[in-house]
């Protein structure tokens, strides 16, 4: 892959050593300093979730205006605007209720956490916090702490309405909150003395009002728990470490019949399932009994044929019992499956009656669902309270096992249930299909510096682990592990920690479960170690000795940004952060050039701008002499306006990469002219652009875009269809088996577009590979020929299995007839924005297909000072060291800021502002005598011109008169002296001028100097 564009023109940003001038240049004029605006990829734990110092902690919630279009109203559910007044009224009535605003939704709606408990003094609340920390961080002591076991308020947590158009969880918790807050104390006092009961009243208020499952950005927050793209999911992530629940219920809908987890297989292989399953299943059974006994009018039940029926059959749906495939707890992306790693028993509750097109029916369904929800909530609290000691002991034991580093335990098939703590109803169902247990390592090591492909990706991974509750330490000295040298400052995730299950589920490769189940509910692989761009070492087994290294705990990754002093500054674009920095620089008007390997370069005069982005994104520039601009192909990068098709994954990924001018297009908006492609520089095809039927006219506008040489990148079959339709490249796209997803191995073409900082794994959902390629195509990446599939679920079907994808093209580039470039990605480079390690590939592809921007000018050297480059620069024929001379450049440059460089040994004379037609420049006292050339350089580094200048010794008085003795031993001042060419100053640094020109310049310079000195000697004799 080549940029096909060599650096042209001459100029300077700065020069170093004997070849280049190393002083700083004036900053390039830019509209504004960089204003980093990329969306963050990782977000630390919010301070808003910090618990109160005592209870109650009450505040008057701000009221919001009524929204007549709130979809809750038509559903017959509580509209969002009614929630704050309700909670305010309860706070005014009761000292049992506390309310916090723990964050805001995408559209800025408050998300409320309600806590119901008996009042606590600050001292009592502090004791509860101390016990909570003891449970997690000193579990054995907690288990032996009788005072803790008797006095700790066991936390129970209900989360409602994470899916916006599943309304009734909110409507169910509100009356229960009211009951606990206002019922006679003799009815609820004992409960509130022993427990804290938490409620996130509506986790997705935007979706509630809009009547949509997703949040306002289009993301499903209940698929986002380890990625953190949504504020709604991050609130749950952040709260879980504060609440540390023993029992958690997530209220959803709708499955036609009430459904309550636990799940069927495959089960997450990092859980302490022997401690989780017994109570999770027993709680579901008790809720089933309570709902059946309530016999709510209009409710449904599970029929003998597995279908819902209005007849009370005595059963609801419990996936562990009733759905043995297709409703699993394998990935940690859902809130219950995520929170279970905190030692909680968790259940997803799916309320029964769904949405219809009839308002009256919808409202009737809501009434039934609310009644069902009330029974579920009360029964869940009763179960948690009735089994609180066992639930707390389980949580403590989960943390103790983690801290001790014990292997995960597999429940044997046919196990005696009396040997497993807790209820035993689960045992009659348990089979080999339920057995999934991970082998835990002793530690994970995230190297920094040597051995790490991207320090910025590594730092981001560390921050993501910490945000998810994983304990991370930093090595205080270099060490060796399993033959690998690891630098000081590298990170260690010791797997002897309370949340070792969370650590392993995030960092382990995962497992290929393709042959163990035929159907999966959602994704099957997600490893941050393989998909987030950083190199991670897996070390040993869990019962090995600790690593031989001193470490210190950290609560954030150490800063990685740096900007040295340099004539030029280079940046290796290994990670997403580097492209965030590049885009911020381009937005600020800073010239950025890229080399064929992806490295970028800016002038040293833009150091202040570089420092801003280094501080913001942690990128580390290196000092450069800029000579790569003279010896390697490069091109200036353009600030790109990106038109894109697709969804929130595409939009947010572009925003995370720092592309600030992005414009959604569809076939319809292009055809209608609403979307003007002529205003875009590049097109990202994230979703199909099919110009058929009424949208056929849009094809002409796309053709015009391509005829202008503008480029396209995209993913999957959508980009292949586009490329074929518009003649960019011939390609046949094949998709993997329906529903297949996971992590694959890939191989990057040597010297190709993605070769500089290659990654050997990628995510697919499903994989797409490209065959039947036209002659203009280049294969940049293929699926690996061996061990193609690493982890996930990919059932083999004819022509669409992993074996069929092996060795096939996964990334292809081509240049079309008009010069328009195209990049096709067959991997799922931005699925739910999770594969962060693929972000640089997206950015690089867009810059590769994009047009040229302002290039960074190569440094001026002696060989650039040729006759035709003299320009309008004029200086006196000679000057003495320390003398200020007038440099004339012409009136056209009046007011311009310029740099002056004296070429012998390159020597900066500083910057100046042209006044009229020239300016003053002072010759350094250290300037060597002899013939020189004085170059004037513009602020952007281009050469304005140059002129000859002889540096001569100052005249001194002596015994021989005014000029006596200046020529050594010559009689009467007429000796031969030393003004010969051999005594002239070095005139060209190490990059020589062309031989003929150089010889001529030296000869002319020497002759002129000899003549000048003879004239001066003659004049002295005459006097």
């Amino acid at each position: 892959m080549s940029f096909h564009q060599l650096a042209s023109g001459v100029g300077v940003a700065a020069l170093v050593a004997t070849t280049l001038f190393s002083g700083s240049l004036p900053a390039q004029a830019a509209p504004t300093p960089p204003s980093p605006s990329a969306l963050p990829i990782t977000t630390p734990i919010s301070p808003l979730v910090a618990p109160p110092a005592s209870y109650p902690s009450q505040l008057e919630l701000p009221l919001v205006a009524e929204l007549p279009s709130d979809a809750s109203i038509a559903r017959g559910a509580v509209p969002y605007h009614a929630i704050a007044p309700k909670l305010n009224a309860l706070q005014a009535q009761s000292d049992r209720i506390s309310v916090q605003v723990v964050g805001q939704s995408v559209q800025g709606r408050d998300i409320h956490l309600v806590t119901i408990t008996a009042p606590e003094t600050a001292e009592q609340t502090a004791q509860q916090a101390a016990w909570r920390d003891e449970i997690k961080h000193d579990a054995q002591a907690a288990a032996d702490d009788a005072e803790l076991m008797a006095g700790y308020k066991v936390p129970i947590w209900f989360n409602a309405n994470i899916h916006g158009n599943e309304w009734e969880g909110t409507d169910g918790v509100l009356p229960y909150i009211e009951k606990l807050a206002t019922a006679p104390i003799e009815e609820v006092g004992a409960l509130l003395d022993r427990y804290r009961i938490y409620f996130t009243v509506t986790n997705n208020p935007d979706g509630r009002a809009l009547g949509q499952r997703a949040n306002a950005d289009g993301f499903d927050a209940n698929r986002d728990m380890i990625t953190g793209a949504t504020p709604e999911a991050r609130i749950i992530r952040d709260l879980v470490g504060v609440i540390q629940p023993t029992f958690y219920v997530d209220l959803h809908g709708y499955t036609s019949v009430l459904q309550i987890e636990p799940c069927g297989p495959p089960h997450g292989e990092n859980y302490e399932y022997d401690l989780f399953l017994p109570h999770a299943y027993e709680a579901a059974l008790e809720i089933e009994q309570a709902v059946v006994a309530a016999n709510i009018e209009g409710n449904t039940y599970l029929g003998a044929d597995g279908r819902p029926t209005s007849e009370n059959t005595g059963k609801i749906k419990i996936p562990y019992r009733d759905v043995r495939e297709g409703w699993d707890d394998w990935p940690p992306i859902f809130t219950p499956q995520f929170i279970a790693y905190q030692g909680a028993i968790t259940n997803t509750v799916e309320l029964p009656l769904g949405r219809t097109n009839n308002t009256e029916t919808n409202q009737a369904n809501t009434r039934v669902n609310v009644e069902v929800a009330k029974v579920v909530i009360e029964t869940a609290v009763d179960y948690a309270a009735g089994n609180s000691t066992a639930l707390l002991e389980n949580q403590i034991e989960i943390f103790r096992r983690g801290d001790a580093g014990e292997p995960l335990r597999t429940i044997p098939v046919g196990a005696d249930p009396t040997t497993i703590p807790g209820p035993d109803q689960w045992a009659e169902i348990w089979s080999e299909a339920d057995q999934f247990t991970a082998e835990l390592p002793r530690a994970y090591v995230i190297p920094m510096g040597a051995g790490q492909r991207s320090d910025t990706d590594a730092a981001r991974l560390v921050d993501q682990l910490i945000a998810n509750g994983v304990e991370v330490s930093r090595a205080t000295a270099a060490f060796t592990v399993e033959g690998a040298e690891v630098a000081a400052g590298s990170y260690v995730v010791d797997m002897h920690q309370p949340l070792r299950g969370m650590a392993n589920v995030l960092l382990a490769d995962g497992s290929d479960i393709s042959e163990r189940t035929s159907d999966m509910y959602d994704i099957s692989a997600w490893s941050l170690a393989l998909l987030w761009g950083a190199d991670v070492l897996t070390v040993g087994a869990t019962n090995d000795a600790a690593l031989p290294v001193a470490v210190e705990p950290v609560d954030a990754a150490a800063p990685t940004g740096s900007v040295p002093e340099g004539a030029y500054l280079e940046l290796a674009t290994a990670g997403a952060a580097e492209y965030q920095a590049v885009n911020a620089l381009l937005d600020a008007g800073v010239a950025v050039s890229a080399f064929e390997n992806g490295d970028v370069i800016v002038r040293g005069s833009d150091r202040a701008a570089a420092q801003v982005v280094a501080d913001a994104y942690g990128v580390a520039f290196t000092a450069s002499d800029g000579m790569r601009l003279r010896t390697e192909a490069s091109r200036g990068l353009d600030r790109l306006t990106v038109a894109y098709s697709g969804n929130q994954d595409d939009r947010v990924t572009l925003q995370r990469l720092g592309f600030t001018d992005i414009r959604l297009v569809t076939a319809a908006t292009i055809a209608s002219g609403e979307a003007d492609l002529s205003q875009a520089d590049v097109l990202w095809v994230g979703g199909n652009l099919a110009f058929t039927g009424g949208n056929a006219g849009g094809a002409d506008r796309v053709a015009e875009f391509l005829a202008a040489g503008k480029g396209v990148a995209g993913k999957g079959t959508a980009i292949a269809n586009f490329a074929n339709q518009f003649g960019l490249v011939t390609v046949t796209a094949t998709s993997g088996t329906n529903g297949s997803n996971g992590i694959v191995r890939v191989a990057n073409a040597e010297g190709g577009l993605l070769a500089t900082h290659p990654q050997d794994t990628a995510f697919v959902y499903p994989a797409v590979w490209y065959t039947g390629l036209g002659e203009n195509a280049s294969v940049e990446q293929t699926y690996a020929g061996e061990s193609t599939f690493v982890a996930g679920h990919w059932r083999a079907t004819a022509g669409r299995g992993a074996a069929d994808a092996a060795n096939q093209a996964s990334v292809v580039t081509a240049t079309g007839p008009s010069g328009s470039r195209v990049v096709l990605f067959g991997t799922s480079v931005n699925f739910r924005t999770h594969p962060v390690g693929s972000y640089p590939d997206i950015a690089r592809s867009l810059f590769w297909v994009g047009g040229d921007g302002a290039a960074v000018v190569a440094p001026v050297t002696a060989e650039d000072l040729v006759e035709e480059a003299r320009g309008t620069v004029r200086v006196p024929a000679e000057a003495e060291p320390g003398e200020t001379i007038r440099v004339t450049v012409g009136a056209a440059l009046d007011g311009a800021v310029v740099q002056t460089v004296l070429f012998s040994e390159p020597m900066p004379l500083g910057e100046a502002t042209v006044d009229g037609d020239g300016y003053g420049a002072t010759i350094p006292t250290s300037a060597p005598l002899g013939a020189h050339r004085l170059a004037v350089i513009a602020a952007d580094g281009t050469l304005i011109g140059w002129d000859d200048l002889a540096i001569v010794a100052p005249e001194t008085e002596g015994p021989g008169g005014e000029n006596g003795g200046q020529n050594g031993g010559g009689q009467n001042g007429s000796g031969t002296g030393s003004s010969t060419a051999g005594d002239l100053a070095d005139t060209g640094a190490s990059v020589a001028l062309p031989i003929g020109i150089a010889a001529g310049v030296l000869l002319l310079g020497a002759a002129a100097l000899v003549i000048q000195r003879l004239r001066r000697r003659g004049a002295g004799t005459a006097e």
Side-chain angles (χ1 to χ4, degrees):
M1 192 56 51
S2 172
F3 285 125
H4 304 301
Q5 178 179 336
L6 292 171
S8 61
V10 292
V12 67
L15 309 171
V16 292
T18 59
T19 307
L20 307 173
F21 160 49
S22 61
S24 63
L25 285 176
Q28 179 194 24
T32 58
S35 179
S37 55
L39 287 182
I41 296 173
T42 57
T43 306
I45 294 172
S46 169
L48 294 176
V49 303
S54 63
Y55 291 89
S57 176
Q58 298 182 335
L59 73 160
E60 185 173 352
L61 299 173
L63 305 183
V64 297
E66 293 187 14
L67 183 67
S69 63
D70 188 322
S72 310
I73 298 170
R75 177 72 184 184
V78 176
Y80 177 76
H81 70 257
I83 294 174
K86 179 69 173 177
L87 296 178
N88 284 339
L90 290 175
Q91 290 182 96
Q93 291 178 259
S94 174
D95 63 358
R96 309 170 201 168
I97 180 172
S98 299
V99 183
Q100 290 174 258
V101 174
V102 289
Q104 282 76 37
S105 64
V106 170
Q107 293 184 338
R109 291 182 172 91
D110 287 343
I111 296 175
H112 309 108
L113 177 70
V114 172
T115 306
I116 301 289
T117 194
E120 298 171 14
T121 65
E123 183 179 9
Q124 290 170 328
T125 299
Q127 179 62 74
Q128 292 293 320
W131 280 334
R132 181 197 64 209
D133 291 344
E134 183 180 351
I135 288 166
K136 180 176 284 185
H137 299 294
D138 195 356
Q140 187 59 63
D144 298 335
D145 189 336
E147 186 178 359
L148 181 155
M149 296 302 294
Y152 182 60
K153 287 187 171 182
V154 177
I156 305 165
W157 183 10
F158 293 89
N159 185 52
N161 200 206
I162 193 170
H163 287 153
N165 60 355
E166 298 166 10
W167 291 272
E168 292 89 349
T170 298
D171 296 64
V173 300
L174 282 171
Y176 190 63
I177 290 170
E178 182 172 8
K179 173 183 175 180
L180 294 180
T182 61
I185 194 64
E186 57 269 20
E187 295 181 15
V188 298
L191 180 69
L192 302 188
D193 285 341
R194 288 286 290 120
Y195 304 93
R196 285 186 189 160
I197 307 176
Y198 297 89
F199 305 86
T200 30
V201 179
T202 169
N203 191 192
N204 182 5
D206 296 345
R208 184 178 187 84
L210 295 170
Q212 63 185 38
R213 175 186 180 93
N215 75 349
D217 263 343
F219 288 102
D220 186 336
N222 203 40
R223 303 293 185 273
D224 187 43
M225 288 308 301
I226 62 169
T227 305
T230 66
E232 296 83 3
R234 292 196 300 269
I235 285 170
I236 302 302
R237 179 202 72 181
D238 296 352
L239 280 172
V240 68
V242 174
I243 295 174
Q244 201 170 290
T246 59
F247 198 87
Y248 171 86
V249 175
D250 201 24
L251 294 160
H252 286 256
Y254 308 102
T255 46
S256 299
V257 61
L258 178 65
Q259 176 178 295
I260 301 176
E261 294 175 354
C263 297
H267 304 298
E269 58 186 343
N270 292 285
Y271 294 121
E272 312 283 351
Y273 225 71
D274 63 315
L275 298 176
F276 174 84
L277 179 61
H279 281 287
Y281 187 51
E282 177 73 5
L285 290 173
E286 289 208 5
I287 293 170
E288 177 180 60
Q289 292 171 11
V291 171
V292 166
N295 201 27
I296 297 165
E297 184 179 355
N299 194 22
T300 55
Y301 304 89
L302 188 67
D305 61 357
R307 297 181 179 183
T309 176
S310 58
E311 178 186 352
N312 191 336
T313 62
K315 289 183 70 175
I316 62 168
K317 186 182 288 186
I318 302 175
Y320 174 68
R321 180 188 67 195
D322 304 316
V323 188
R324 295 293 288 167
E325 208 171 59
W327 194 286
D328 56 82
D329 53 4
W330 181 251
I333 59 175
F334 317 108
T335 69
Q337 282 62 48
F338 180 87
I339 290 172
Y341 287 111
Q342 290 277 355
I345 304 303
T346 62
N347 299 83
T348 298
V349 173
E350 301 281 350
L351 297 172
L353 305 183
R355 296 170 292 273
T356 74
N357 293 324
N358 183 280
T359 299
E360 185 176 337
T361 302
N362 284 335
Q363 294 181 356
N365 288 352
T366 294
R367 288 191 291 272
V368 173
N369 286 343
V370 171
E371 293 305 310
V372 173
K374 289 177 182 178
V375 175
V376 169
I377 293 165
E378 292 217 27
T379 309
V381 171
D382 289 346
Y383 183 86
N387 295 274
S388 61
T389 299
L391 297 182
L392 181 56
E393 288 173 345
N394 273 4
Q395 184 176 63
I396 292 171
E397 174 64 5
I398 289 170
F399 293 152
R400 187 204 64 77
R401 290 181 188 180
D403 199 47
E406 296 179 4
L408 291 168
R409 303 181 188 185
T410 300
I411 303 176
V413 176
D416 179 355
T418 63
T419 64
I420 308 294
D424 60 8
Q425 289 92 333
W426 58 271
E428 63 184 10
I429 301 170
W430 187 262
S431 72
E432 185 179 351
D434 293 287
Q435 292 180 313
F436 292 84
T437 308
E439 297 290 331
L440 301 174
R442 184 59 179 84
Y444 291 97
V445 174
I446 304 171
M448 297 297 285
Q452 180 54 259
R453 67 166 296 280
S454 170
D455 278 354
T456 55
D457 281 346
R460 179 177 290 111
L461 174 59
V462 167
D463 286 338
Q464 186 72 353
L465 293 172
I466 292 169
N468 283 287
V470 176
E471 295 176 0
V472 182
S473 296
R474 192 165 182 255
T476 58
F479 63 104
T480 301
V481 59
E482 297 185 351
E485 297 290 331
V486 182
S490 296
Y491 296 94
V492 176
V493 179
D494 190 332
M495 289 297 289
H496 288 199
Q497 63 169 288
L499 297 192
R500 55 94 176 263
M502 179 72 78
N504 207 56
V505 80
L506 295 178
L507 289 172
D509 291 359
S511 298
D512 180 357
I513 56 173
S514 304
E515 300 307 315
R516 293 206 58 186
T517 183
S518 62
D519 189 25
M520 292 291 292
Y521 183 68
D522 207 275
I523 65 168
S524 307
W526 51 84
S527 170
L528 273 66
L530 297 183
L531 297 178
W532 274 51
D535 291 321
V536 179
L537 306 178
T538 305
V539 182
T542 187
N543 47 13
D544 289 348
L547 270 61
V549 58
V551 297
E552 56 186 10
V554 297
D555 56 12
T560 54
S562 62
V563 186
E565 297 285 349
Y568 289 78
L569 298 169
E570 292 190 24
L571 184 63
T573 52
E578 283 76 16
Y579 281 105
Q580 291 174 324
V582 166
N583 274 319
L585 292 171
L586 291 171
D587 280 350
V590 174
V592 181
S593 283
F595 298 104
E596 286 190 324
N597 72 346
D599 292 352
V600 298
I601 188 169
V602 299
R603 292 188 304 274
S605 56
D606 289 313
R607 186 180 185 280
Q611 188 68 61
V612 172
V613 299
D615 292 343
Y617 300 122
V619 298
F621 290 87
T622 57
S624 168
D625 61 12
M627 286 303 292
R628 288 181 70 184
L629 291 166
R630 299 184 69 93
T631 61
E632 297 183 29
S634 67
R635 63 187 289 238
L637 298 182
D638 192 18
R639 178 188 179 277
L640 297 178
T641 295
V642 183
Y644 75 96
S645 67
N647 60 18
Q648 65 278 352
D649 296 353
D650 304 287
R651 181 186 72 250
V652 171
T653 300
L654 292 170
Q655 291 172 326
R656 284 181 163 191
L657 282 165
F659 292 103
T660 55
D661 190 358
I662 62 174
R663 307 179 185 192
L664 177 64
V665 299
T666 65
T669 60
I670 293 172
S672 68
E674 178 184 344
D676 185 359
L677 275 184
S678 69
Q679 299 300 308
D681 300 306
V682 295
L683 174 62
W684 171 261
V685 179
N688 282 323
L689 285 176
F691 296 96
T692 58
N695 297 327
D700 293 337
R701 291 187 167 90
V702 173
E704 292 172 4
F705 174 87
L706 298 173
K710 296 182 178 182
V712 186
K715 60 186 182 182
T717 57
I719 184 61
N721 293 337
F722 183 96
N724 279 322
Q725 179 177 0
F726 292 100
L728 294 171
V729 64
T730 301
V731 57
T732 298
T734 302
S735 296
T737 307
N738 289 342
S740 61
N741 70 88
I743 298 171
V744 295
R745 288 190 174 89
V746 294
N748 295 287
E750 185 175 353
L753 184 66
L754 309 180
T756 306
H757 304 285
Q759 299 181 70
D760 58 6
T761 52
F763 184 76
V764 294
Y765 196 157
V768 173
W769 55 95
Y770 303 117
T771 57
L773 298 171
E775 293 182 359
N776 63 332
S778 297
V779 175
E780 303 290 348
Q781 184 189 84
T782 60
Y783 294 102
E786 296 182 0
S787 302
T788 309
F789 197 55
V790 177
H793 187 261
W794 190 347
R795 302 281 282 188
T797 53
R800 299 177 66 190
D804 301 299
N807 293 313
Q808 300 296 338
S810 53
V811 180
V812 171
T813 59
T815 301
S818 67
S820 183
R821 291 172 169 180
V822 63
V823 181
L824 300 85
F825 288 100
T827 58
S828 304
V829 286
N830 60 350
F831 179 80
R832 295 179 183 163
T833 74
H834 184 68
V836 174
S838 296
Y839 285 15
D841 296 348
I842 296 171
R844 190 157 183 207
S845 74
L846 290 172
F847 281 119
W848 185 75
V849 304
D852 297 339
V856 178
V857 182
V860 169
T861 64
E863 66 182 7
D864 299 319
L865 306 184
V866 296
E867 281 299 314
E868 53 267 32
R870 280 182 176 273
T872 60
V873 175
R874 298 292 181 268
V875 297
E878 64 178 37
E880 298 176 356
E883 181 180 351
T884 298
I885 63 172
R886 177 76 174 174
V887 180
T888 302
V889 294
L893 292 175
D894 183 28
V897 176
V898 297
Q899 189 80 18
T900 310
V901 182
L902 189 64
F903 274 89
S904 46
E905 294 286 337
M907 183 174 292
L909 306 189
E911 68 177 36
T913 300
V914 177
D915 182 9
D917 64 352
Y919 61 93
T922 301
I923 307 301
T925 57
S926 60
L929 303 182
H932 298 258
R933 285 160 294 177
L934 184 143
V936 180
I937 299 160
D940 66 356
T942 57
L943 179 66
I944 294 172
W946 65 276
D947 199 8
D948 296 303
L949 176 66
I951 306 299
V952 298
E955 296 180 2
T956 58
E957 295 188 15
E962 182 180 358
N963 294 310
Q966 77 176 48
N967 292 314
Q971 292 181 331
N972 300 319
S974 59
T976 58
S978 59
S979 295
T980 65
D983 289 327
L984 294 178
D986 178 7
T987 56
S990 59
V991 180
L993 291 165
I995 293 173
I997 297 174
V1001 169
L1002 288 170
L1003 207 56
L1004 288 171
L1009 189 55
V1010 169
I1011 292 169
Q1012 289 165 355
R1013 291 210 171 168
L1014 287 173
R1015 287 176 176 170
R1016 293 175 68 184
R1017 270 206 317 268
T1021 301
E1023 292 175 359

